[in-house]
């Protein structure tokens, strides 16, 4: 068989084994439910509260309409205004008056503080650097991209590592490489898990779209479309980079309990984007630097695209850097994997695995 056919054969084996695993299916379902709940909660919490009904005459209607979160009910005179206020149809009424403020507020039993504050005289404010997006929405988007990257990369990375060590422990790998070249076996493992990881990303994107539509966040949906596509592209190559390194690191040990010692540095590289992007999501300089580092670019660059801080050429340059890093990781991971796979017993040192 050709190497391409053998690669697909190994990939199909990886995919079918995961789809038969109840633990994998349950964890995937929980992840999707958490994502949907997060989008819905974020959407409902970011919505404006129900507008307050306020009565106003033709003379004061324009003043009241300029206030935020207010619905104006026009009345003819003071008598009608008192009637709707006493009946509870409106929270208050704003009428013209002969005093410095020019208006008087009629309330039923207590003064509506938000209305009083809104009508108070205040100096004109000029914003020199207006925020391009709502800080809460920006924070939620950063968390969303970070959590998806962290969960998918760590979950599938650990799965690949466990699969490699299990095959070494049971000596199945000796039978496999007698029929399949070592690098083809590695390529199949990476391909199969990449397909599963991308399927999860597509499902999460679909759930996010549904959640945004349900919560009426059409503006966010329109603005997040391109960043989500870029995230999928960056995630694809970022995951291949990590999967190659996870496979190589796992091949250096022969027992499941030793996996943590070799994959811990990779786990830190997976967690770094989540932590740094969340902490520095509102720091343009740090976010710019993170968007060019291969391990954090899949999260940082889409966030910058969403808030409009990245130029059109920046994601292209960042993607080129990621692709070069991906090729380097594949070569290093394949060499370690090939030189360590048949070495049983104690942990293989990194220098020995690279030297062969």
């Amino acid at each position: 068989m050709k190497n391409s056919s053998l690669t697909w054969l190994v990939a199909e084996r990886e995919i079918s084994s995961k789809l038969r695993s109840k633990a994998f299916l349950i964890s995937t379902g929980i992840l999707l439910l958490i994502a949907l709940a997060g989008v819905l909660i974020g959407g409902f919490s970011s919505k404006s509260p129900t507008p307050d009904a306020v009565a106003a005459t033709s003379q004061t209607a324009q003043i009241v309409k300029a206030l935020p979160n207010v619905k104006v009910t026009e009345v003819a005179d003071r008598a009608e205004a008192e009637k709707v206020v006493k009946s509870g149809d409106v929270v208050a009424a704003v009428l013209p008056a002969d005093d410095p403020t020019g208006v008087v507020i009629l309330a039923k039993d207590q003064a509506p503080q938000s209305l009083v504050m809104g009508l108070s005289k205040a100096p004109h404010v000029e914003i020199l650097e207006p925020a391009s997006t709502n800080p809460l929405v920006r924070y939620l988007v950063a968390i969303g991209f970070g959590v998806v990257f962290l969960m998918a990369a760590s979950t599938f990375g650990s799965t690949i590592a466990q699969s490699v060590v299990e095959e070494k422990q049971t000596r199945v790998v000796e039978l496999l490489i007698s029929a399949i070249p070592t690098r083809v076996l590695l390529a199949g493992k990476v391909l199969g898990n990449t397909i599963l990881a991308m399927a999860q990303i597509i499902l999460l994107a679909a759930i996010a779209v549904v959640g945004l539509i349900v919560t009426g966040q059409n503006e966010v949906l329109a603005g997040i479309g391109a960043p989500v596509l870029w995230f999928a592209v960056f995630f694809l190559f970022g995951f291949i980079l990590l999967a190659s390194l996870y496979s190589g690191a796992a091949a250096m040990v022969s027992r499941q309990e030793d996996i943590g010692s070799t994959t811990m540095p990779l786990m830190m590289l997976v967690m770094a984007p989540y932590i740094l992007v969340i902490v520095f999501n509102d720091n343009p300089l740090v976010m710019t630097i993170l968007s060019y580092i291969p391990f954090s670019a899949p999260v940082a660059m889409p966030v910058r695209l969403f808030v409009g801080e990245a130029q059109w050429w920046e994601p292209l340059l960042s993607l080129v850097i990621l692709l070069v890093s991906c090729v380097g990781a594949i070569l290093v991971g394949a060499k370690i994997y090939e030189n360590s796979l048949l070495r049983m017993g104690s942990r293989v040192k990194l220098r020995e695995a690279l030297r062969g």
Side-chain angles (χ1 to χ4, degrees), residues 93 141 169 186 213 215:
V141 169
Q169 242 179 346
L186 173 62
I213 292 174
T215 55

Side-chain angles (χ1 to χ4, degrees), residues 228-242:
V228 166
L229 291 177
W230 275 109
F231 175 73
V233 174
F234 274 93
F235 179 87
L236 172 62
F237 295 106
F239 180 81
I240 293 173
L241 182 153
L242 288 170

Side-chain angles (χ1 to χ4, degrees), residues 290-315:
L290 291 174
S291 64
Y292 290 103
I293 298 174
F295 295 101
S296 56
V299 180
M301 185 57 77
V303 172
R304 291 186 63 222
L305 288 168
F306 174 74
V307 299
E309 293 178 354
Q311 300 296 321
W312 66 268
W313 52 267
E314 290 192 73

